[in-house]
């Protein structure tokens, strides 16, 4: 087997970086068409990235030995944001311990209460939407998912503090959305007006805002996720350090809202863009929920709505690739890849494999009504030992927000071509957002709901 890397574009790494940042979908498609299912991309200052477009090689990575496939090292660029003790950054036993702890927070025990928060905040968003005005709903979805995760984590005892935290986090993420977190060379202080200086200042402000909240919950735990974190103990029975709790909190806040907001934006634009698909979703909601408030116990019966979400995340995954840095050589396809290379299951390309998804460019929720695809062919939440910790939470949130919107806020979308991809940091979002108009005929809430 050759020990060379698979072929890839001969462009300078800076040109590849430009295409990767600003034309990601077309760049991946062009490389795939030219070089096949395994191709190598090069970005300045980064390990070579071997992109994997087929579920066979993706399976080998997701089921391979985590000791030599380091996702934490591959995520190193976001370490300044989430902190060095974040589950995203750790590898090995430390990662497993932290992951187990976070998974225990999303155990379904709190699902009904969290569902109630999700619906109430969605209804509040709908009430605030202007009527008969065309607007981009994406920023409102962004603000909604941030409120949902902030309230879920911190509870609602002190709304002004929660609001302050949400604003701080938004400012920090906006700053991080410049290529700052994607280009290592920008992660240094080059003067007072440079993005890195501003980013560090906001990061310090966020830490200062979190510290008293952590101390408060240590003294008087409530029933929110922060309280569960501060009362959790490690394997030696010791409480988590304040630094560990800070990194866990920021990880959940960062990982848990922009992703969901973009997935909602894609799904909404696809569902509103197809009258038949939308009508079927509305009919299902009418049959299962009627005019009552949408609650967690309804969700399993909303099969079509679930298929609409699954298919939107197939066609337009919000995280289009996940990386693993090889610490030992790995045979893959016709190659033996050397240590030091990053292998990258390419979610966007894998989801467009015509062998598994006939007419892959079509938005067709029916695909998800039959047998679910294999986890190596459908991977919007990544896979293996690193699969998304918040998957169940995110799917519940998407169904509740989308269902409530369809139920309560008759929206019309401006007809037009399907939106192209715009990168917002690491997340792929619909360029131009979701242009909608809310009609004045909104369904009133049932008295007492
Ligand atoms: C539609 C929404 C979401 C999508 C598409 C998504 C997708 C992903 C993906 C692709 C990964 C990387 C997996 C891998 O490397 O194989 C990931 C990891 C992660 N996600 Fe999500 N995510 C979403 C929502 C959430 C939410 C709501 C939370 C928490 C509240 C969350 C927390 C995390 C964490 C902590 C990790 C790191 C897991 C680890 O490294 O072990 N995500 N997510």
């Amino acid at each position: 087997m050759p020990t060379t890397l698979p072929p890839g574009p001969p462009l300078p790494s800076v040109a590849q970086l430009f295409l990767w940042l600003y034309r990601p979908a077309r760049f991946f498609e062009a490389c795939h068409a030219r070089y096949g299912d395994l191709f190598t991309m090069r970005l300045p200052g980064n390990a070579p990235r071997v992109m994997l477009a087929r579920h066979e090689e993706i399976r080998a990575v997701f089921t391979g030995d985590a000791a030599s496939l380091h996702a934490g090292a591959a995520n190193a660029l976001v370490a300044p944001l989430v902190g060095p003790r974040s589950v995203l950054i750790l590898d090995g036993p430390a990662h497993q311990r932290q992951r187990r702890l976070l998974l225990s927070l999303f155990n379904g025990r709190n699902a009904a209460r969290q569902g109630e928060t999700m619906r109430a905040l969605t209804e509040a968003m709908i009430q605030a939407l202007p009527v008969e005005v065309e607007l981009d709903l994406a920023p409102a979805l962004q603000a909604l998912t941030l409120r949902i995760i902030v309230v879920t984590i911190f509870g609602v005892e002190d709304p002004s503090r929660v609001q302050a935290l949400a604003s701080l986090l938004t400012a920090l993420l906006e700053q991080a959305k410049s290529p700052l977190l994607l280009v290592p060379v920008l992660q240094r202080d080059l003067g007072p007006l440079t993005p890195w200086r501003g980013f560090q200042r906001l990061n310090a402000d966020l830490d200062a805002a979190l510290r008293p909240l952590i101390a408060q919950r240590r003294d008087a735990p409530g029933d929110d996720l922060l309280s569960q974190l501060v009362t959790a103990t490690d394997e030696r029975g010791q409480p988590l350090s304040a630094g560990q709790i800070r990194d866990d909190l920021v990880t959940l806040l960062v990982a848990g809202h922009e992703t969901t907001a973009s997935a909602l934006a894609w799904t909404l634009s696809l569902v509103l863009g197809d009258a038949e698909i939308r009508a079927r979703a509305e009919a299902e909601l009418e049959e299962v929920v009627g005019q009552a408030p949408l609650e967690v116990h309804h969700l399993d019966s909303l099969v079509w709505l679930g298929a609409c979400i699954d298919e939107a995340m197939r066609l337009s995954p919000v995280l289009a690739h996940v990386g693993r840095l090889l610490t030992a050589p790995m045979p893959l396809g016709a190659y033996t890849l050397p240590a030091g290379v990053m292998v990258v299951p390419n979610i966007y390309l894998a989801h467009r494999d015509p062998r598994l998804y006939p007419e892959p460019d079509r938005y067709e929720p029916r695909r998800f009504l039959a047998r679910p695809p294999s986890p190596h062919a459908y991977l919007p939440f990544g896979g293996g030992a690193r699969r998304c910790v918040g998957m169940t939470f995110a799917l519940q949130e998407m169904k509740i927000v989308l269902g409530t919107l369809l139920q309560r806020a008759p929206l019309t979308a401006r007809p037009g071509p399907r939106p192209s991809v715009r990168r917002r940091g690491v997340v792929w979002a619909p360029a131009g957002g979701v242009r909608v108009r809310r009609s004045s005929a909104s369904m009133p809430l049932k008295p007492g709901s």
Side-chain angles (χ1 to χ4, degrees), residues 88 95 99 106 255-256 259-260 318-319 324 380-383 386 388 390:
L88 282 163
H95 166 259
R99 181 178 167 85
F106 295 100
T259 41
T260 315
V318 297
L319 292 180
R324 308 287 187 259
F381 293 97
R386 308 293 297 220
C388 176

Side-chain angles (χ1 to χ4, degrees), residues 281-299:
E282 286 172 346
E284 182 183 69
L285 280 160
E286 180 58 34
E287 191 188 322
V288 175
V289 192
Q291 307 230 338
L294 179 48
E295 289 176 6
V296 166
H297 67 85
H298 293 122
L299 298 184

Side-chain angles (χ1 to χ4, degrees), residues 5 27 67 70 84 87 103 121 177 267 280 291 317 323 348 393 416 429:
L5 297 179
F27 185 40
H70 281 187
V87 70
L103 278 171
L121 291 174
K177 236 163 256 153
T267 311
R280 188 162 168 186
Q291 307 230 338
Y348 176 80
F393 183 86

Side-chain angles (χ1 to χ4, degrees), residues 247-414:
D247 288 0
D248 287 342
L249 287 177
V250 178
T251 300
L252 294 179
L253 289 165
V254 169
H257 87 282
E258 183 116 38
T259 41
T260 315
S262 276
L264 276 167
W266 283 114
T267 311
L268 201 61
S269 72
L270 289 162
V271 170
L272 295 184
D274 187 310
E276 206 184 313
I277 289 173
R278 176 198 181 139
R280 188 162 168 186
E282 286 172 346
E284 182 183 69
L285 280 160
E286 180 58 34
E287 191 188 322
V288 175
V289 192
Q291 307 230 338
L294 179 48
E295 289 176 6
V296 166
H297 67 85
H298 293 122
L299 298 184
D300 282 350
S301 307
L302 295 173
V303 176
W304 180 252
L305 193 63
C308 292
I309 292 168
D310 291 343
E311 169 69 346
M313 287 196 295
R314 178 196 70 80
L315 195 57
S316 303
V318 297
L319 292 180
H321 41 83
V322 291
R324 308 287 187 259
L325 193 69
L326 290 185
T327 61
M330 179 177 193
L332 212 52
Y335 301 87
T336 297
L337 303 179
V341 158
M342 204 187 307
V343 286
V344 183
N346 189 308
I347 302 175
Y348 176 80
L349 292 175
H351 283 185
R352 283 162 184 267
D353 184 338
R355 294 175 303 156
L356 304 166
Y357 302 105
E359 293 186 81
D361 284 334
R362 240 176 89 125
Y363 180 56
E364 181 45 275
R366 279 179 201 83
R367 297 180 208 275
F368 284 85
L369 291 181
R371 214 158 43 92
S374 114
H376 309 118
Y378 180 67
L379 49 144
F381 293 97
R386 308 293 297 220
R387 195 175 74 171
C388 176
V389 162
M391 181 177 85
T392 317
F393 183 86
L395 289 172
Q396 169 176 322
E397 179 176 354
M398 288 181 72
K399 259 192 179 174
I400 292 183
V401 173
L402 203 64
T404 305
L405 272 168
L406 290 173
Q407 195 193 18
R408 304 274 181 228
L411 299 170
T412 46
R414 191 204 287 168

